[in-house]
């Protein structure tokens, strides 16, 4: 039988809240930096299109994809920050807020995993193409 809601009403202690607050402070910085980098990369992509025209479409698409990744990471980290703050600032729902924060962190790390796998595939393909071209 599933556990009752009363078993989920755990409250973190003051010492535990300090640890969570330290995590929140670090995450808040990384979220803001990710959003700023995303905005900067987006501006670079737009500037490249404006100054170089059609020849910059390829690099601009790369910039836009990179900007989307940074912005998503920043937004999801900020949502996790908000949920972790609720753990510290409220009482009665610490586990629910913690699970909300972990859900947002899962999004961040799933996106990063996807980007890393795609990067590895591109690297392997580039090495293979280079190898085939060097044989010819």
């Amino acid at each position: 039988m599933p556990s009752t809601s009363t078993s989920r009403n755990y409250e973190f202690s003051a010492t535990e809240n300090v640890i969570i607050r330290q995590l929140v402070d670090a995450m808040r910085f990384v979220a803001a930096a990710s959003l700023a980098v995303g905005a900067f990369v987006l501006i670079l992509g737009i500037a490249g299109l404006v100054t170089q025209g059609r020849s910059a479409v390829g690099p601009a698409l790369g910039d836009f994809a990179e900007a989307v990744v940074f912005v998503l990471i920043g937004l999801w980290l900020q949502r996790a920050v908000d949920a972790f703050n609720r753990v510290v600032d409220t009482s009665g729902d610490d586990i629910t807020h913690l699970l909300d924060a972990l859900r947002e962190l899962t999004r961040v790390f799933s996106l990063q995993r996807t980007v890393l796998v795609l990067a590895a595939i591109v690297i392997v393909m580039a090495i293979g193409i280079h190898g085939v071209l060097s044989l010819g």
Side-chain angles (χ1 to χ4, degrees):
M1 175 147 217
S3 61
T4 63
S5 62
T6 56
S7 67
R8 295 179 60 104
N9 287 339
Y10 178 82
E11 276 301 312
F12 288 102
S13 69
T15 303
E16 293 165 333
N17 282 337
V18 168
I19 294 168
I20 294 169
R21 181 67 67 200
Q22 290 170 341
L23 174 63
V24 163
D25 291 342
M27 286 175 56
R28 183 179 290 119
F29 174 84
V30 174
S34 292
L35 289 169
V37 169
F40 181 70
V41 170
L42 179 64
I43 291 167
L44 286 178
I46 293 169
L49 281 175
V50 168
T51 60
Q52 298 172 4
R54 297 183 107 188
S55 65
V57 168
L61 288 175
D63 288 342
F64 296 154
E66 185 179 356
V68 166
V69 168
F70 274 107
V71 167
L72 285 175
I73 288 172
L75 290 174
W76 290 336
L77 282 176
Q78 185 55 53
R79 287 170 56 171
V81 163
D82 294 342
F84 278 122
N85 271 330
R86 287 191 298 275
V87 170
V88 175
D89 296 338
T90 66
S91 60
D93 288 319
D94 280 2
I95 297 299
T96 301
H97 298 314
L98 177 63
L99 290 174
D100 289 343
L102 293 176
R103 194 171 298 110
E104 296 302 328
L105 287 178
T106 299
R107 288 179 177 162
V108 170
F109 288 107
S110 294
L111 176 61
Q112 290 180 328
R113 177 182 56 206
T114 301
V115 169
L116 290 171
V117 167
L118 290 174
I121 291 169
V122 168
I123 289 169
V124 168
M125 288 175 54
I127 290 170
I129 291 169
H130 178 71
V132 168
L133 292 177
S134 67
L135 292 176

